[in-house]
Amino acid sequence: MGSGIERPAVTGFHHVSAIVSDVEASATWYQRVLGLQRLPVTFPHHGEDSGDGKAALLLDTATGVMIELHHDAAGSAPDRARNALDHLAFGVADRATLDGWAAWLDTLGVVHDGVRDRTEPTTYAALEFQDPDGIALEFIYFPTG
């Protein structure tokens, strides 16, 4: 905007970090439900310098998206009112894939309300569910054309 400085490039979405009540149980759930691969590294959370092993880093090998799960620095249970993560959405290629995910979640006993087709504010379809800590997750399809 007149400064002569251009916006630097971003290479893409890298990871999301969530506070969970039980890192190991949540990591197992994300591996089982979403097929994520656990990476053999841990990173300290912001403001914590110790790699105390209480974090897990999970990778979706198809997209490169990573989810970091860690405990609250104070060691308490997650406080949904304090934490800012509203939900995490994963894109899918087509509407049929949403139905496939709904069937998969059913086989695992993961509660959801089914695929919902919506037209406002635009046309899309979504499948919403929650992880063991109540973090909202969504698969979403936006048709093109």
Side-chain angles (χ1 to χ4, degrees):
M1 320 249 161
S3 69
I5 298 174
E6 294 184 24
R7 181 186 63 81
V10 173
T11 59
F13 177 78
H14 188 267
H15 76 276
V16 64
S17 182
I19 296 172
V20 296
S21 58
D22 184 329
V23 170
E24 291 305 317
S26 290
T28 299
W29 187 89
Y30 277 90
Q31 289 173 288
R32 183 174 61 94
V33 174
L34 299 183
L36 302 182
Q37 176 185 346
R38 187 167 183 168
L39 300 179
V41 295
T42 59
F43 291 95
H45 188 250
H46 299 285
E48 294 181 33
D49 291 329
S50 68
D52 63 6
K54 293 186 178 176
L57 188 60
L58 301 146
L59 171 69
D60 179 343
T61 58
T63 65
V65 170
M66 290 186 280
I67 298 176
E68 177 190 17
L69 305 172
H70 61 92
H71 70 288
D72 186 282
S76 59
D79 179 358
R80 297 274 297 146
R82 183 179 63 85
N83 299 331
L85 180 63
D86 179 67
H87 73 280
L88 177 60
F90 299 89
V92 299
D94 52 42
R95 174 65 169 72
T97 302
L98 289 175
D99 293 326
W101 272 108
W104 173 250
L105 295 177
D106 288 342
T107 65
L108 298 174
V110 176
V111 177
H112 61 85
D113 291 333
V115 177
R116 299 199 178 192
D117 295 296
R118 298 190 170 114
T119 57
E120 293 297 326
T122 187
T123 301
Y124 69 100
L127 173 63
E128 300 168 353
F129 57 107
Q130 294 182 347
D131 83 349
D133 283 293
I135 296 173
L137 303 170
E138 173 182 44
F139 291 109
I140 191 164
Y141 166 65
F142 282 95
T144 57

